[in-house]
Amino acid sequence: MSIPAYVQGHDLLAGKVVVVTAAAGAGIGAAVVRRALEEGAKAVVFSDTHERRLAEAESALAEEFGADRVRQLVCDVTSEDQVQALLDAADELGGVDVMINNAGLGGTASVLDMTDEQWSKVLDITLTGTFRCVRAAGQRFVAAGRKGVIVNNASVVGWRAQEGQAHYAAAKAGVMALTRSAAMDLAPHGIRVNAVSPSLVMHPFLAKVTSDELLAELTEREAFKRSAEPWEVANVMVFLASDYSSYLTGEVVSVSSQHP
């Protein structure tokens, strides 16, 4: 499904410096980078842990949108030093205005067999990694006296039960709780914090690691009986990042028919 022309660009992020984590692939993060550029962002700094894909993405986007508007940096959100370096890169472009926290890690394991290492790795990347980025961006906003915006990526799995997903579900439920509480901490500074909660978002990597049976089951749960396209989730994240949602904070928006 291609992006309809009427949603491709209305300068919703005109003049903003946007930072996006986990954005070198073909999923939500990459779609957010593109939509931010289409919506007039002054610059987008995007990260991932995959150096080659990052370089390829930067080259392609620079050719399309201009080299002065895109910058990539390897960033593992489990490293405080790398998170700070990512925000430093945004400072070189005028300072972060919008922080999009997309990094996360899934996996499938029963709680009967799940190891401490499996649990800890998913929680450290998905929840604690999001916390590190929220904290770093919030500190930069406050220091600059800037009414910035933070948008986190949660999941409907944080609301509902799914076999083999205890670590991922706990992490994403934590992202929702973090979003609500951080919003209250940052509201006195005029900083907004919201999250999206997608369900099934189809991209090549997901198709590679998920069985046809599970994909069919997850698709059947959706009202439209299809998966979401990455840009459909990215559009909601752009809305939350824009001034169109100026009075919205501490919310988790379900980009799915599944919600409490």
Side-chain angles (χ1 to χ4, degrees):
M1 179 187 296
S2 60
I3 304 177
Y6 61 83
V7 299
Q8 286 185 358
H10 299 278
D11 285 337
L12 296 186
L13 300 179
K16 305 290 187 182
V17 175
V18 180
V19 176
V20 187
T21 63
I28 295 171
V32 172
V33 172
R34 171 169 290 278
R35 293 295 295 116
L37 290 165
E38 291 172 342
E39 291 295 344
K42 172 186 174 182
V44 178
V45 181
F46 63 100
S47 72
D48 209 295
T49 57
H50 199 293
E51 189 171 356
R52 177 183 57 80
R53 284 203 297 260
L54 271 173
E56 291 172 351
E58 181 183 44
S59 178
L61 291 167
E63 184 174 347
E64 184 174 355
F65 295 100
D68 60 328
R69 296 182 65 201
V70 293
R71 182 175 299 183
Q72 57 88 7
L73 191 71
V74 172
C75 177
D76 180 345
V77 296
T78 67
S79 166
E80 176 65 18
D81 288 345
Q82 292 188 34
V83 169
Q84 292 295 338
L86 181 63
L87 275 295
D88 288 343
D91 284 345
E92 294 172 8
L93 299 169
V96 60
D97 295 293
V98 176
M99 182 80 209
I100 307 284
N101 296 314
N102 179 61
L105 177 70
T108 302
S110 167
V111 292
L112 296 174
D113 305 312
M114 189 180 295
T115 65
D116 283 7
E117 182 182 6
Q118 287 174 305
W119 173 271
S120 297
K121 186 174 183 180
V122 169
L123 268 289
D124 195 17
I125 293 173
T126 307
L127 176 55
T128 309
T130 299
F131 158 71
R132 290 186 187 99
C133 293
V134 168
R135 178 178 60 191
Q139 289 172 342
R140 304 283 174 126
F141 293 148
V142 172
R146 184 169 296 177
K147 295 181 179 180
V149 181
I150 297 170
V151 182
N152 299 323
N153 193 356
S155 169
V156 296
V157 178
W159 283 319
R160 64 167 170 76
Q162 186 167 318
E163 182 180 359
Q165 297 292 301
H167 46 3
Y168 186 68
K172 289 300 190 179
V175 169
M176 295 180 187
L178 169 65
T179 297
R180 290 188 288 265
S181 293
M184 298 306 294
D185 286 342
L186 296 175
H189 302 281
I191 300 164
R192 297 189 295 107
V193 188
N194 292 293
V196 298
S197 183
S199 180
L200 181 61
V201 182
M202 187 52 63
H203 53 85
F205 179 74
L206 179 65
K208 187 182 300 184
V209 301
T210 310
S211 69
D212 291 341
E213 292 77 14
L214 180 56
L215 289 175
E217 177 189 339
L218 294 175
T219 300
E220 187 60 29
R221 295 185 186 188
E222 293 298 321
F224 295 125
K225 306 304 179 186
R226 68 169 178 85
S227 61
E229 297 288 337
W231 63 264
E232 291 178 301
V233 179
N235 279 346
V236 181
M237 298 179 99
V238 165
F239 162 72
L240 291 174
S242 77
D243 291 341
Y244 274 80
S245 60
S246 60
Y247 199 68
L248 195 65
T249 197
E251 287 298 319
V252 179
V253 179
S254 180
V255 192
S256 166
S257 58
Q258 300 183 54
H259 48 76

